[in-house]
Amino acid sequence: MRVVVVGAGEVGYHVAQRLANERHDVVVVDTAAHRLEYVKSHLDVAVLEGSGASPAVLRQARIKDAGLLVAVTNHDEVNLVSCSVAREYKDILKIARVSDPGFYRGESQLHPETFGVDVMINPERELALETFRMLQTTAARDIAVFAEGEIQIIGLEVLPDSPAAGRTLIEIAEGSRSSGMITVVVKRGDKVVVPKGATRIEGGDLIYVAVLPDFVHEALTLCGHQHSSLKRVMIAGGSTEAYYFARLLAQHDIEATLLVRERERAQELAERLEKALILNGDATDIELLELEGVGGVDAFVALTDEDETNILSALVAKDIGAKQVVTLVNKSEYAPLARRIGLDVAVSPRLSAANAILQYVRRGKVTRVALLRDTEGEAISFDLTARSHIAGHPLSSIDFPEGSIVAGVVRGNQAIIPKGNDELKVGDTVIVFALASAVDRVAHLFPA
Amino acid sequence: MRLLDFFSEDAVNLDLQGSSKDDILLDLIAQLGLDDEAEAKLHKMLKRRENLGSTGIGKGIAIPHCRSNVVDSLRVAFGRKKEGVEFRAIDNKPVFNFFLIVAPPLEVSNQYLPVLGKIAQFAKESDINDELEKLTEPGQFLKLLQKRSS
C-alpha cells in the first residue's frame, strides 16, 4: 500500500519506520529539508520537500494512489488541512494528529469531520493514558491492554532473587496456578526471543507476560515486584500531556500536584483542572521539590516540554525518595540514557502515537495493535473469520510462524489465556504477539 | 484522617491585620503560638518557599507551606483578610483566604502531603470563597471544615 506521511518529526519518523518495515510504499512530506535528510538516510522511504497542506505537493506525493494519509506534524491546522485536501480522493483512510484538547471536548466550532478526517489521534492523550497504566502496575515497563483490560500484556524486569529467576517456563507453570498467564517474549541483553517451555528465565531479563486481570499480582510477584496503589502523584510541567494526565488522576480520585514554571500556564491549568493543586515553580529546583515533599509521593512524573528538565527533575525526585519516577522523553535518543541513569520508565510520545496509528492501518481483520517497548515486536488482535483454516484445530497443531505466539483469546465475554490443547473458534478475537519479522506471515493466518 | 483534627479555634483568624505578603505570613505564624526565635526562623523559611514560586493558587486562595524543625508535629492555621492582599498569586489577583501548613522535616506519620492535598481540595470548591466570607467567628470555620471535608 502507498502511504503518505505528512510530518517528519518524531511521530512521523516512527510511523514511517514501522510501515516501511512492513514493506509499505512510504513517502514522507515535510517543509524542513534537514529532517527529510535524516529520514532519508535512516529509512527505506521516499521523501518530498513541501507543505503537506498544499494540494500540489500532495499530488506530487501521488496521493491518488495512496491507501493511507497520516498527517502528524506538530501543527493541528496543517494536519487538518492536509486531510481536507485529500478528501477528494476516495478510498484513502485519513488520520490526523490533533493535540488541542478543545477538539475533544466539543468546545470547538471546527469539528475534525468537517475536514474529512477519518481518525484523530492525540499523542499527548495516548501518552497520558500509557503513563497512567504503567503507574497503576508498579514495576511494569510497559502495558498493552486488550478487550477493555480483560487481557493485559505487561513488560516486567525479572529481579535476580525472584521466584522466576533461574527456572524454565515449564517449571514456573508447574509451581503456580498458571492458567491465567503466559510469557510471550523474553529479552536478554539485545536478544529478543519468543520463548518455549524449556526456555530458562534469568535475573535481569525483560519479559512480557499476557495475563488475565486476576493474575497481574501473581505475575508481579513471580518477577520479584510488589503491587502498590497510587494515592498521591506529583507532576512536573504544564504541558498538554500533564493536563491529560492530571485529568485522569482526578477521575480516579488520586491527588495530584502540578509544578508549573510559567505563571500564565499555571493559572490556565488551575482553572481547567478543578481538583489538582497547581503550584508555580521550577521543577528542577531541588529545594522546591524537597519543600513540596516529593519524597512522600507515590509517583513523580516529569512531563515538561524539555527532555533535559524532565530527566534532571526526575533524577532529583528519585534521589529524594519518590517511590516511582516516570520521565517523558521526546527525543528518542534520550530514552536509553534515561534508563541507564536509573530512571524507572521513560515514555516517548512517538511510540504512543505510532501505536494509535498502527491500530487503524490494518483495519478490517485487525482490531488493535500495540507495540511492545524494547522488543521490536507487537501484539496484534485479529478477528478469526470462517475463511481462516486455523479454526477448529488445537493450538499445538497450528504452524504458527517462528517469532510469534498466541497471547490470549476473547470469546464472547470470556477472556482466556490458551494452552496447547485449546482450540480457536470462528468469531474469536485472537491476540498474537509477533516479532516484526513474523507479522506478515501471522497476518496470513487471519484472512479478513 | 480528617482536616478538622488539625485545626483549633486558636489557629483561625478571620481578621488578619497585615497588608503586605510579608506581614500576612507573620500574622499566620503568630497563630501557631511559637517563641520569637522559632517565629523568625519559620518566617524566613516561608519567604524562601514563596521566592521559589508563590503558593497563591488563584481565586483568592493561598496555601503557604513548608517543612521546618520549629514544630514537632504538623501544624496548620487559617487566616482571612477581607480586603485582600497582593500575594503574587498565579492569577495575579489579590488573596483573601490563607491556609498555613508547617510540618517537621521528618515525620513518622507522613501527614504533610495528605493535609496539603485535602486543604487544596477544600479550597478549590467553587463556592468556598463565598462561604469563607460569610464567617463571623472561628467556630464557624471549623463547622464548615467538618461539613466540606471528609
Side-chain angles (χ1 to χ4, degrees):
Chain A
M1 175 170 64
R2 184 163 181 84
V3 182
V4 178
V5 176
V6 173
E10 280 288 328
V11 178
Y13 179 88
H14 198 66
V15 170
Q17 183 181 39
R18 298 298 299 206
L19 292 172
N21 283 349
E22 289 169 24
R23 295 187 203 85
H24 290 293
D25 177 17
V26 181
V27 56
V28 178
V29 180
D30 201 301
T31 48
H34 70 281
R35 285 296 311 174
L36 291 177
E37 203 51 54
Y38 182 84
V39 168
K40 204 173 173 185
S41 61
H42 286 77
L43 304 179
D44 183 18
V45 300
V47 297
L48 178 63
E49 192 180 335
S51 167
S54 146
V57 171
L58 286 179
R59 264 199 304 278
Q60 215 183 329
R62 297 212 335 269
I63 185 92
K64 66 175 168 47
D65 302 328
L68 175 67
L69 169 69
V70 183
V72 288
T73 70
N74 290 329
H75 305 285
D76 289 355
E77 313 84 87
V78 172
N79 302 335
L80 289 170
V81 171
S82 184
C83 286
S84 180
V85 169
R87 192 157 38 169
E88 66 177 280
Y89 304 100
K90 302 283 175 237
D91 302 323
I92 300 180
L93 180 68
K94 294 174 284 295
I95 301 180
R97 168 183 180 177
V98 180
S99 299
D100 183 346
F103 279 109
Y104 298 88
R105 279 179 301 166
E107 286 174 6
S108 173
Q109 293 299 309
L110 296 169
H111 292 286
E113 301 80 63
T114 41
F115 290 90
V117 175
D118 297 308
V119 179
M120 280 200 299
I121 62 126
N122 182 341
E124 289 79 11
R125 196 173 53 171
E126 294 289 332
L127 183 129
L129 272 166
E130 276 200 21
T131 306
F132 185 64
R133 284 192 208 116
M134 257 183 251
L135 283 177
Q136 276 188 314
T137 309
T138 323
R141 287 280 203 87
D142 192 9
I143 296 187
V145 178
F146 292 88
E148 276 81 50
E150 288 304 308
I151 292 180
Q152 306 181 11
I153 303 184
I154 308 177
L156 293 165
E157 188 187 337
V158 180
L159 299 183
D161 47 2
S162 64
R167 292 161 75 200
T168 66
L169 290 178
I170 290 178
E171 287 163 4
I172 291 169
E174 281 165 354
S176 69
R177 19 172 230 140
S178 58
S179 56
M181 68 177 147
I182 183 172
T183 304
V184 296
V185 62
V186 177
K187 185 180 189 199
R188 184 170 305 153
D190 289 331
K191 208 172 155 230
V192 179
V193 292
V194 172
K196 299 198 164 42
T199 304
R200 194 173 293 280
I201 302 296
E202 288 173 14
D205 285 357
L206 171 66
I207 67 171
Y208 275 83
V209 190
V211 286
L212 302 178
D214 289 348
F215 288 79
V216 170
H217 186 83
E218 188 164 340
L220 289 169
T221 313
L222 195 62
C223 297
H225 300 288
Q226 284 174 343
H227 207 73
S228 83
S229 63
L230 281 184
K231 291 199 187 69
R232 207 156 288 114
V233 175
M234 190 174 292
I235 303 168
S239 59
T240 313
E241 287 91 342
Y243 165 77
Y244 282 119
F245 186 57
R247 224 174 48 165
L248 268 174
L249 293 176
Q251 284 161 8
H252 288 82
D253 282 326
I254 297 166
E255 276 174 26
T257 305
L258 276 83
L259 296 178
V260 182
R261 188 167 52 191
E262 304 78 15
R263 282 165 63 83
E264 276 176 24
R265 180 64 178 161
Q267 185 197 350
E268 196 185 328
L269 286 172
E271 275 165 21
R272 280 167 49 191
L273 294 165
E274 283 169 15
K275 288 191 182 159
L277 172 61
I278 318 289
L279 294 169
N280 175 220
D282 182 348
T284 55
D285 191 313
I286 296 177
E287 194 181 358
L288 179 65
L289 289 177
E290 272 179 348
L291 285 171
E292 289 307 321
V294 74
V297 297
D298 299 314
F300 178 87
V301 182
L303 295 175
T304 77
D305 290 327
E306 293 162 21
D307 287 352
E308 295 81 0
T309 303
N310 289 338
I311 291 174
L312 188 60
S313 65
L315 271 177
V316 173
K318 197 178 165 76
D319 190 50
I320 298 177
K323 288 192 199 106
Q324 258 187 295
V325 178
V326 178
T327 315
L328 165 61
V329 178
N330 287 291
K331 293 188 204 80
S332 42
E333 306 91 272
Y334 280 179
L337 169 80
R339 293 240 170 81
R340 259 203 311 280
I341 56 181
L343 299 180
D344 294 338
V345 190
V347 283
S348 151
R350 60 174 201 153
L351 237 133
S352 312
N355 259 335
I357 289 168
L358 287 175
Q359 345 184 351
Y360 294 101
V361 172
R362 304 182 210 102
R363 205 157 60 162
K365 55 189 176 182
V366 175
T367 48
R368 179 171 154 69
V369 173
L371 305 183
L372 302 185
R373 219 172 288 275
D374 293 332
T375 66
E376 301 298 315
E378 56 197 77
I380 313 164
S381 88
F382 296 96
D383 287 338
L384 190 60
T385 64
R387 291 189 56 218
S388 173
H389 68 271
I390 62 174
H393 299 285
L395 273 181
S396 54
S397 72
I398 301 169
D399 195 15
F400 268 90
E402 183 79 24
S404 71
I405 185 169
V406 174
V409 174
V410 183
R411 185 170 297 153
N413 291 326
Q414 203 195 355
I416 309 159
I417 304 291
K419 289 197 176 49
N421 52 1
D422 286 328
E423 289 176 10
L424 298 177
K425 294 181 177 160
V426 171
D428 283 354
T429 298
V430 184
I431 298 148
V432 183
F433 172 83
L435 297 176
S437 55
V439 170
D440 269 358
R441 278 171 296 146
V442 169
H444 278 122
L445 296 175
F446 296 90
Chain B
M1 188 210 73
R2 301 183 314 160
L3 276 186
L4 192 62
D5 301 337
F6 294 91
F7 280 93
S8 65
E9 287 195 20
D10 301 345
V12 178
N13 182 348
L14 299 179
D15 191 17
L16 293 173
Q17 294 302 305
S19 53
S20 67
K21 183 169 181 172
D22 224 28
D23 292 343
I24 289 285
L25 290 176
L26 283 170
D27 286 352
L28 290 166
I29 292 166
Q31 289 166 236
L32 299 180
L34 305 169
D35 62 40
D36 289 355
E37 195 188 335
E39 281 190 352
K41 203 170 161 189
L42 182 55
H43 184 222
K44 203 170 144 194
M45 196 68 190
L46 284 171
K47 269 170 53 175
R48 242 165 80 187
R49 171 61 187 83
E50 292 298 324
N51 285 338
L52 297 174
S54 173
T55 59
I57 62 170
K59 297 197 172 144
I61 305 270
I63 314 179
H65 56 275
C66 72
R67 285 183 186 272
S68 167
N69 55 15
V70 301
V71 295
D72 46 23
S73 65
L74 185 123
R75 302 289 306 277
V76 292
F78 170 73
R80 184 183 68 186
K81 175 81 180 172
K82 274 206 164 176
E83 301 77 25
V85 170
E86 148 58 29
F87 209 76
R88 282 193 52 74
I90 52 176
D91 57 2
N92 287 316
K93 291 186 178 144
V95 175
F96 304 92
N97 297 302
F98 302 87
F99 297 83
L100 172 69
I101 310 172
V102 187
L106 289 170
E107 261 182 298
V108 186
S109 46
N110 213 355
Q111 291 164 327
Y112 183 49
L113 290 172
V115 168
L116 179 57
K118 282 229 154 65
I119 287 182
Q121 245 169 27
F122 174 77
K124 287 198 87 171
E125 296 266 335
S126 55
D127 63 341
I128 205 71
N129 278 311
D130 296 341
E131 293 292 326
L132 290 171
E133 200 186 344
K134 280 190 235 161
L135 305 179
T136 52
E137 51 175 288
Q140 292 172 337
F141 173 78
L142 301 185
K143 284 208 181 91
L144 182 66
L145 210 54
Q146 187 173 20
K147 201 169 83 187
R148 290 300 183 87
S149 72
S150 47

